[in-house]
């Protein structure tokens, strides 16, 4: 028996970039070195320069293959979290002229190339620009996310904050004013606090209506969760991160902070709107792998991580959207043991608007 699900959607991927990588202007030996260098130059990872791409058949073909791969994994819709070059959009428009895209594509433009003049709504369910991606801090693993208190295992290091609240607000404001959604990468508690301060400055009491996003929102505490709920900020979480990070986060954050982090259940309980995205290629693009990690808190190959979990129905709710389409699975996930969810097969994918 097959089972029809609301279509799987991925609210935070780098599918286009992976399909045809733009060449960074500079390369670094480690993520830590990259983040430190970016900070010293008053830049952010979303403002770094890349060698310009040309719209070629190779680019069009690579993007199409990348989107076909996403569809084969069960996705009806992906959101590119930081378009690095307008050539990607031009190539997608060319593909779109020839017919339906393999999946619906939504785009956040990287702050480094975002310009109001170039940002025009397309009005196409298959291809749409939705907003601007900004970047507030680093990551947990390399100990570069911005922390209110230093890392437990690096007492002199409280991470890297790329922008203070005033700077972030002034960069987001023109785009917010023009009606574009803002999505800001923030992992550490100091970064999340900074982004909330910035969103308060930009939106005031209109924040919930604009639904700005915080990407990742990992190092949490009850105060931050309450503020996110009060403001109406959307949390875009990664189903795989808590599992991948578990060992490193336990030692870097220490007891209480680890207990309060990656607590998607606490966000939901507080009424925060939560959506999910893989952050491929950091994690698998497969939504079923994400679903298994989110429900078991362990790796899909059975290795234990002991990360926070969500009930299956809740996890499915974060990863699917009936308005984006239908994904047909080989089995109803509720009939499959949680540690075998990733073995469910994709039978069919029908993004909304498909004619075949
Ligand atoms: Zn990302």
């Amino acid at each position: 028996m097959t089972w029809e699900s609301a279509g799987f959607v991925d609210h935070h991927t780098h599918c286009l970039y992976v399909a045809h990588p733009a060449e960074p202007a500079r390369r670094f030996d480690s993520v830590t070195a990259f983040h430190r260098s970016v900070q010293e130059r008053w830049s952010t990872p979303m403002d770094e320069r890349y060698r310009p791409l040309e719209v070629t058949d190779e680019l069009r073909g690579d993007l199409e293959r990348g989107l076909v791969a996403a569809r084969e994994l069960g996705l009806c819709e992906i959101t590119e979290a930081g378009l690095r070059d307008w050539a990607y959009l031009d190539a997608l428009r060319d593909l779109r002229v020839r017919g339906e895209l393999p999946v619906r594509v939504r785009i956040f433009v990287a702050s480094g190339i975002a310009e109001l003049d170039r940002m025009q709504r397309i009005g196409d369910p298959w291809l749409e620009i939705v907003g601007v991606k900004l970047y507030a801090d680093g990551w947990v693993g390399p100990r570069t996310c911005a922390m209110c208190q230093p890392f437990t295992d690096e007492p002199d290091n409280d991470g890297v904050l790329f922008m203070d609240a005033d700077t972030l607000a002034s960069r987001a404001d023109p785009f917010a004013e023009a009606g574009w959604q803002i999505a800001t990468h923030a992992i550490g508690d100091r970064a999340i606090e900074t982004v909330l301060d910035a969103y308060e400055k930009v939106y005031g009491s209109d924040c919930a209506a604009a639904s700005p996003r915080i990407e990742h929102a990992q190092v949490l505490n009850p105060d931050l969760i309450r503020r996110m709920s009060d403001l109406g900020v959307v949390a875009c979480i990664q189903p795989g991160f808590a599992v991948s990070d578990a060992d490193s986060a336990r030692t870097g954050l220490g007891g209480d902070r680890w207990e309060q982090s990656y607590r998607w259940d606490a966000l939901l309980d507080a009424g925060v709107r939560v959506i999910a995205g893989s952050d491929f290629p950091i994690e698998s693009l497969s939504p079923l792998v994400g679903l298994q990690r989110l429900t078991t808190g362990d790796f899909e190959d059975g290795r234990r991580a002991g990360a926070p979990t969500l009930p299956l129905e809740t996890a499915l709710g974060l990863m699917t959207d009936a308005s984006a389409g239908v994904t047909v699975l080989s089995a109803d996930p509720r009939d499959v043991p949680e540690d075998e969810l990733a073995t469910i097969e994709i039978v069919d994918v029908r993004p909304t608007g498909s004619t075949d």
Side-chain angles (χ1 to χ4, degrees), residues 12 14 133 279:
H12 183 132
H14 303 277
K133 165 101 181 274
D279 209 3

Side-chain angles (χ1 to χ4, degrees), residues 188-201:
D189 49 8
R190 183 160 55 104
I192 296 171
E193 195 170 52
T194 300
V195 174
L196 293 175
D197 290 345
Y199 286 169
E200 240 170 33
K201 286 176 201 284

